[in-house]
Amino acid sequence: MRARICNPKNILLLGKYSASCSHLKYVISQDKFHHGLTNSDINGADKMNFLAALKITSDRVLKIVREQPDADGTEMLLQMTRDVLESFLSPEPTPEERIYLLWRSVFFLRLWRQWLLAEKIGLKDHFITYATYICIELNAHALIKLSRQLRDAGNPELFLPHLFASQACESFFRWARAMTTTQATVVNFDILDLLRRLRKIELQGHITHTLGDRGLSFPR
């Protein structure tokens, strides 16, 4: 979705509103202290920049977008993107809140898509990609199915969607690669090396979590 809205050639029509990259360019033109965005964050060609997706849907960016009189469509699309991200990646929402956020996005997309079809407006240039649309639909149904299965099995505490995504795995892998001495130049390791590092990772995570609750922060 980020790549679609950040493409300067695209103007996504949402009823009487529209979403455009120009609204994000306006945000960047403001003092960076207030939004934290850079030009690379709205580079639609860089489709793998996940951090940029989090940045353009932050509270600071949405606040500046709302200040623009004609940016209602962009605000709606950014808010929907944020809802999808939070429903899976944030550890804070309750199961009910996760389902609400994701299904609100699903209904929004369904209505938007049907309006475009009714107005005979091409989906290719004025809607999110078909793969993204289907992915959100499938994840929404899977979220309900998973919550019901865990509830019926008596294991509701295992409903942890924020650990299902690849982001958690990539974070753990970076953590494991960092378990080397300051003079080491070899960062790759095999399964045996990983097993040896697991205890260190567990201890470091425990210390960080325990002392973090007491107000101490650890630089990364």
Side-chain angles (χ1 to χ4, degrees), residues 88-105:
F88 270 96
L89 301 182
S90 175
E92 298 178 359
T94 64
E96 293 82 2
E97 290 171 340
R98 293 183 190 279
I99 292 173
Y100 171 78
L101 288 173
L102 191 54
W103 275 93
R104 181 171 67 176
S105 301

Side-chain angles (χ1 to χ4, degrees), residues 79-133:
Q79 184 62 56
M80 184 204 65
T81 303
R82 176 171 176 164
D83 288 346
V84 172
L85 292 174
E86 284 194 356
S87 65
F88 270 96
L89 301 182
S90 175
E92 298 178 359
T94 64
E96 293 82 2
E97 290 171 340
R98 293 183 190 279
I99 292 173
Y100 171 78
L101 288 173
L102 191 54
W103 275 93
R104 181 171 67 176
S105 301
V106 169
F107 290 133
F108 174 86
L109 289 173
R110 287 178 180 178
L111 290 171
W112 181 18
R113 187 171 186 271
Q114 287 303 313
W115 177 82
L116 290 172
L117 292 174
E119 295 294 325
K120 295 181 172 55
I121 300 175
L123 298 180
K124 182 178 180 181
D125 297 323
H126 300 284
F127 191 61
I128 63 175
T129 63
Y130 182 73
T132 303
Y133 172 67

Side-chain angles (χ1 to χ4, degrees), residues 70-83:
D70 60 340
D72 292 333
T74 301
E75 179 192 351
M76 286 189 288
L77 195 56
L78 291 177
Q79 184 62 56
M80 184 204 65
T81 303
R82 176 171 176 164
D83 288 346

